[in-house]
Amino acid sequence: MKPISILSAYQFLAVCHSFTIPSCQRHYHSTPGIKNLFTTRRTYHQTYFLSSISVRRHFTESEALKQKQHDFKTTTSLQVTVTPIFDFTLENATTKEKSANSFERIDDAIMGGISQSALRDIPDKNYASWSGVCRTDGGGFCGTRTLPFKSSPLNATNQDGVFMDCFLASDDEPEKRIWKFTVRTDTSRGELVYQAEFDLKAAIDKSKLETDADTADSHPWASVMVPFERFQLVKGPRLVPDGPKLDVSGGIYQIGMTLSKFQIAVNTTQLNDFRPGYFNLHIQRIGFFKNDAGNDVVTDGSVAKVPDTLTKKEAERERPLVLKLLLPIAKLLFSEQANRRRSAMNILKKKRGLTRSKAILFGIRSRRRAMGLIPSIMKTLGIIGIDTLRTVLKTVLKIVFVYPLRLFSTIVRNCGKMLGINVKPSLAE
């Protein structure tokens, strides 16, 4: 009975520490001798020792996190009041769907890229998903922005900036992309817009510190807050030198987000370790925030009033006549399908070592399986003809318009410098 009582004591200790000792039970049931008893005790001591280290480390890390949370909360001295404009949570199904339908994609296809993204409503989920694939071939950014508002712009009076509650679901490397907020203070839809970069990784780390370790969600929502004073006027990814500061007194006509390999700078500057490929950002709310006295983030209590926007077809009809005339030419010159074909051609030539003619034959054979030989040849000839026409048009436009305009601009700038006039540097310089 002595071995049994000793082993029972060890079992009692193991249960108290929530440990399982199948190796001890195996030794005990096989041979209840003194030798096996010592083996059992030695096995238990090893298991208990290693598990104790694990438990002590767990408590140490938990207490360290709580200490960081305490330090963070005691050093926070502002209360932030957020006013949701677009709400993708489950609080109101109509608001959720309307919020998601208020956005359109604005990817790098406009500059010859092949990236694709979209902001989609996720039914029965407490968020919307802005996801896609960002590729560096010919571009390097994905974006989404609100459609034109039907009536008045968003009123940002007495607000201090733009906020977004989000969570990066695709990976844990937000620092390997450039994340930007975009706002517009007029009805134009061109390249000139106000942008500000935000640190998504810092927002995620902050959300972990703000969340109680004992009740922490495995995916805490990060609150990104970008003050209006940080927005700068840009054209594409490049900073406009001496551009006017953002003035929201007249309202905001557009809110958007961008994932990019380009940093905001006077000259084109790329992130060195940019991570291309798939991304998926879950978004709960987008709106404005205001700094007040206090130490919490609170909602103003109002239901998100999603502004009415034009549909995509209505937005196309509202475009100026000049833009309506130029868009068909632009689509011909900067076709997204043509960009993808060019990227595929480069892959076949660089990675597979095919010549252009062999790559074309490869395409004919690939299409033949789906449509037959003759239709495949006809489709390939049509693609070659359209691509040839596109190349000719681009060359003519460069010779007739682009190069003369650049030459004229250079002459004017040089004359101004010779006369001692302060001339702003062009974005190309």
Side-chain angles (χ1 to χ4, degrees):
M1 297 299 296
K2 185 70 173 176
I4 296 177
S5 65
I6 293 175
L7 186 58
S8 298
Y10 274 97
Q11 288 174 325
F12 175 75
L13 289 173
V15 171
C16 290
H17 290 85
S18 301
F19 299 139
T20 58
I21 49 172
S23 59
C24 299
Q25 296 173 355
R26 183 169 60 254
H27 284 298
Y28 171 72
H29 288 294
S30 60
T31 307
I34 298 298
K35 180 179 179 181
N36 284 320
L37 172 61
F38 285 123
T39 305
T40 300
R41 293 177 64 181
R42 181 168 63 252
T43 304
Y44 172 75
H45 278 305
Q46 293 171 347
T47 305
Y48 176 76
F49 175 73
L50 294 174
S51 300
S52 297
I53 294 175
S54 176
V55 170
R56 284 197 297 270
R57 182 168 62 249
H58 169 74
F59 285 133
T60 302
E61 292 174 352
S62 177
E63 291 175 358
L65 178 59
K66 288 182 178 180
Q67 183 62 40
K68 288 182 179 180
Q69 293 168 351
H70 173 74
D71 294 341
F72 175 82
K73 291 178 180 178
T74 55
T75 56
T76 302
S77 59
L78 288 178
Q79 173 176 296
V80 179
T81 303
V82 297
T83 304
I85 304 297
F86 303 97
D87 192 338
F88 308 100
T89 65
L90 296 174
E91 292 186 7
N92 187 295
T94 302
T95 299
K96 175 179 172 66
E97 183 179 3
K98 185 177 180 180
S99 296
N101 291 336
S102 299
F103 288 81
E104 66 174 350
R105 63 175 289 218
I106 179 75
D107 297 329
D108 58 17
I110 60 174
M111 58 176 289
I114 57 173
S115 300
Q116 280 188 316
S117 71
L119 193 150
R120 305 178 182 87
D121 180 31
I122 307 298
D124 302 324
K125 294 296 183 180
N126 204 33
Y127 55 82
S129 170
W130 178 37
S131 60
V133 178
C134 185
R135 303 187 184 278
T136 57
D137 299 343
F141 71 88
C142 291
T144 183
R145 65 180 181 181
T146 52
L147 289 160
F149 302 132
K150 280 188 175 180
S151 55
S152 59
L154 300 178
N155 184 5
T157 306
N158 297 325
Q159 301 292 342
D160 292 323
V162 185
F163 90 94
M164 174 175 61
D165 292 336
C166 59
F167 166 70
L168 185 60
S170 55
D171 57 85
D172 58 355
E173 293 184 324
E175 71 279 6
K176 291 191 176 182
R177 292 110 165 178
I178 301 297
W179 304 88
K180 306 173 187 176
F181 254 127
T182 299
V183 297
R184 193 183 297 274
T185 56
D186 55 39
T187 58
S188 67
R189 307 287 284 182
E191 282 188 289
L192 280 174
V193 70
Y194 285 90
Q195 279 190 342
E197 296 180 6
F198 61 86
D199 191 340
L200 182 56
K201 185 179 186 306
I204 293 173
D205 292 342
K206 179 181 175 183
S207 68
K208 292 178 180 178
L209 293 177
E210 290 177 325
T211 306
D212 189 353
D214 295 331
T215 60
D217 188 348
S218 59
H219 304 306
W221 293 93
S223 292
V224 175
M225 298 190 181
V226 183
F228 287 135
E229 61 189 22
R230 284 177 46 193
F231 283 81
Q232 298 172 290
L233 187 65
V234 300
K235 184 176 183 180
R238 290 177 291 183
L239 183 67
V240 176
D242 300 326
K245 292 184 178 181
L246 175 64
D247 180 9
V248 299
S249 59
I252 291 180
Y253 290 80
Q254 175 188 306
I255 294 179
M257 293 87 66
T258 302
L259 177 158
S260 177
K261 71 175 183 180
F262 301 106
Q263 297 173 320
I264 297 177
V266 174
N267 298 315
T268 303
T269 307
Q270 300 185 19
L271 185 66
N272 292 329
D273 58 346
F274 176 73
R275 173 174 173 161
Y278 177 72
F279 75 95
N280 187 3
L281 187 70
H282 292 174
I283 304 174
Q284 283 191 324
R285 298 178 302 170
I286 300 173
F288 300 134
F289 76 88
K290 179 177 177 57
N291 292 319
D292 299 306
N295 59 359
D296 292 313
V297 177
V298 298
T299 307
D300 65 358
S302 63
V303 178
K305 298 179 181 179
V306 184
D308 293 329
T309 61
L310 301 176
T311 65
K312 292 182 179 179
K313 291 184 178 179
E314 290 173 340
E316 291 176 357
R317 290 197 295 266
E318 292 292 329
R319 288 170 178 164
L321 179 60
V322 176
L323 192 58
K324 289 180 180 180
L325 296 174
L326 292 177
L327 273 178
I329 300 176
K331 288 182 178 180
L332 177 62
L333 297 177
F334 305 103
S335 167
E336 193 168 350
Q337 291 182 347
N339 295 337
R340 295 185 181 281
R341 286 196 297 268
R342 184 175 63 253
S343 178
M345 176 67 73
N346 291 333
I347 291 174
L348 291 174
K349 292 169 66 175
K350 292 180 180 179
K351 294 187 176 182
R352 295 199 179 188
L354 301 182
T355 62
R356 183 175 180 83
S357 58
K358 289 183 178 180
I360 293 174
L361 292 176
F362 175 82
I364 293 175
R365 288 194 298 268
S366 299
R367 295 188 189 93
R368 183 184 60 183
R369 302 168 187 170
M371 60 177 62
L373 179 60
I374 301 301
S376 176
I377 294 175
M378 297 301 295
K379 184 175 181 62
T380 302
L381 292 175
I383 291 173
I384 294 174
I386 293 175
D387 287 348
T388 302
L389 176 61
R390 183 179 293 110
T391 302
V392 171
L393 285 176
K394 283 184 178 180
T395 304
V396 171
L397 287 174
K398 286 180 180 179
I399 295 174
V400 175
F401 294 104
V402 177
Y403 295 150
L405 286 174
R406 286 182 180 177
L407 179 61
F408 178 75
S409 176
T410 303
I411 293 173
V412 171
R413 290 179 179 277
N414 290 335
C415 291
K417 291 178 181 179
M418 292 174 61
L419 295 174
I421 301 174
N422 185 18
V423 180
K424 294 182 179 179
S426 67
L427 294 175
E429 293 179 354

